[in-house]
Amino acid sequence: MRFFLFLIVVVAGALAGLALTERAVRPDSLFLASRFPPWEFSPHIGAADIDPYTRGRLFALGDLPLASGEGFSLFARQDESGAPLERRCRYTLASPFPAARFWTLAITDPSGKALPNLAERHDFTSAEILRDAEGPFVVTIAPEPASGNWLPTGGREGSFVIALRFYETPLAATATRLDRRFLPRLSKQECLP
Amino acid sequence: MPPVRAALLLLAFVLSAGIAHVASLFALPRFSTEDAFSRLEKDAPINALAPLDDRAAQAIPFFDRATAIAICRYALDEGPVRLRVKLSETYLSIAFAERHRGIFNSVSDRAATGGSLDIVIATQKQLERILALDEEDQVIEEIRIAAPGSRGLAILKVLVDRPSSRERAETVLREARCESERLPD
């Protein structure tokens, strides 16, 4: 009897440990290294000194990170209030962008697949973006066509994720912290019913 | 239940939870087959360069579609591997990774001399041998990378800054070389 109780406790403990791992490697991990709402930033994901939690999350998600020497990425799965990014809503993403030789901006579904859309546009690069005369710019992410830089969400159902990648930036090699004042601003506008 | 027994049971719970958590966290990269590195390694020829086609690229979650990629799956058993790539007009980089470990190093086109990147990837032991073979006043223009293990991936990436530059990016990758070299005895 005593032995069985012990066995049950050990099995329950092991299950709790596994559940904790599952919770830790999910996209919305409990142990996410740095958060600059709405941006997620993992400074060591592309370096030899990657920590076990970041590595576990990387291998569970299955994406190919930028090496630390290449640059860094920012992901947004939620808006600043913590609500998921909805495909039926219009969002604007405005400069400033961190200094980089190139950057790319893409939206995908939560599992990282491209969102099919009639315009066949899935991303922008820094070379393609339309800027104001002074240099600042705005990207509109919306289900309905918009003037200027428009990234279509391609539908009304479900949510999406923004991936921003900065190639060759002075920040990459040493960044463990980001300055929020130099990060793009994401604002939610109106939504379709 | 006596308090001592309750405390022992709690300890058993915490210990087994901790062990299961740490063991599974460390086992995950080792046993995963759906991660980017496993996908890139699968079907890639050894010590040769293989461009990543669209279908394989889009199978990788969050893949940056504004890049063109080629993979060199290296094996250093026979000797170091030399990678040569001419520079692109756009950003070009090479990341080095091991399947169960992730990225351990990278080189970008800023490190290039004379319009191309010339990289030697070698084990620690091979690197020592290469250093011993260097002539004293020789100018070393190649970049030497120490590999933690003898198997891994070199991931060549060229940025495609607009759709019209994809063809040029793919030409750069097609003309790149990745070959095993034998060190003199």
Side-chain angles (χ1 to χ4, degrees), chain A residues 21 53 70 104 125 165 167, chain B residues 21 24 62 64 93 110 161:
Chain A
T21 301
Y53 285 99
E70 291 179 315
T104 65
T125 70
R165 294 182 177 88
Y167 290 90
Chain B
H21 174 54
S24 57
F62 302 103
D64 192 347
S93 67
R110 279 290 156 93
D161 60 349

Side-chain angles (χ1 to χ4, degrees), chain A residues 9-10 13-14 17 21 47 53 55-56 59 61-63 66-67 69-70 101 104 108 112 114 123 125 128 165 167-168, chain B residues 9 13 16-17 20-21 24 28 35-36 61-62 64-65 67 91 93 99 101 103 106 109-110 157 159 161-163:
Chain A
V9 165
V10 167
T21 301
Y53 285 99
R55 180 179 280 141
F59 278 80
L61 279 177
D63 64 322
L66 292 194
E70 291 179 315
R101 188 163 136 204
T104 65
T108 65
D123 51 25
T125 70
E128 293 170 317
R165 294 182 177 88
Y167 290 90
E168 200 171 291
Chain B
L9 285 176
F13 179 84
S16 53
H21 174 54
S24 57
L28 195 135
D35 62 277
F62 302 103
D64 192 347
R65 295 160 77 108
T67 59
Y91 180 80
S93 67
R99 184 175 166 189
R101 184 190 168 97
I103 291 171
S106 67
D109 52 6
R110 279 290 156 93
K157 186 185 286 174
L159 211 108
D161 60 349
R162 44 186 98 232

Side-chain angles (χ1 to χ4, degrees), chain A:
Chain A
M1 187 61 214
R2 256 190 204 182
F3 176 72
F4 276 115
L5 186 62
F6 178 73
L7 202 67
I8 288 166
V9 165
V10 167
V11 170
L15 289 176
L18 290 179
L20 192 61
T21 301
E22 198 273 331
R23 210 48 205 91
V25 301
R26 272 160 48 168
D28 54 343
S29 169
L30 285 172
F31 302 98
L32 203 62
S34 343
R35 240 180 223 280
F36 301 85
W39 304 109
E40 290 167 12
F41 171 57
S42 309
H44 299 287
I45 196 159
D49 61 349
I50 183 171
D51 64 274
Y53 285 99
T54 307
R55 180 179 280 141
R57 210 172 76 246
L58 170 63
F59 278 80
L61 279 177
D63 64 322
L64 180 64
L66 292 194
S68 285
E70 291 179 315
F72 67 92
S73 352
L74 296 175
F75 285 87
R77 292 168 217 274
Q78 300 168 339
D79 62 19
E80 282 197 39
S81 72
L85 302 175
E86 292 178 89
R87 286 173 72 182
R88 66 188 183 91
C89 299
R90 188 163 71 92
Y91 295 85
T92 57
L93 188 65
S95 47
F97 272 41
R101 188 163 136 204
F102 280 111
W103 54 254
T104 65
L105 161 66
I107 61 172
T108 65
D109 72 9
S111 70
K113 286 197 188 67
L115 296 167
N117 64 79
L118 290 175
E120 287 192 48
R121 175 156 286 285
H122 308 279
D123 51 25
F124 274 113
T125 70
S126 47
E128 293 170 317
I129 212 88
L130 301 169
R131 294 165 196 265
D132 295 347
E134 296 89 46
F137 56 89
V138 175
V139 178
T140 306
I141 303 168
E144 309 269 275
S147 62
N149 306 302
W150 171 50
L151 262 185
T153 61
R156 296 183 185 194
E157 298 297 314
S159 57
F160 69 92
V161 176
I162 303 175
L164 260 171
R165 294 182 177 88
F166 301 90
Y167 290 90
E168 200 171 291
T169 116
L171 257 171
T174 51
T176 49
R177 297 181 54 81
L178 288 176
D179 190 331
R180 285 196 64 176
R181 286 172 302 169
F182 300 119
L183 297 184
R185 281 190 306 270
L186 180 68
S187 340
K188 188 174 186 175
Q189 315 289 337
E190 77 284 348
C191 296
L192 292 175

Side-chain angles (χ1 to χ4, degrees), chain B residues 70-112:
Chain B
I71 300 298
C72 172
R73 180 180 175 191
Y74 63 78
L76 307 176
D77 313 289
E78 304 288 312
V81 164
R82 184 180 293 273
L83 255 165
R84 269 210 187 95
V85 56
K86 272 201 212 128
L87 293 194
S88 150
E89 282 167 36
T90 54
Y91 180 80
L92 179 149
S93 67
I94 306 174
F96 299 92
E98 285 187 358
R99 184 175 166 189
H100 301 304
R101 184 190 168 97
I103 291 171
F104 63 85
N105 211 334
S106 67
V107 173
S108 84
D109 52 6
R110 279 290 156 93

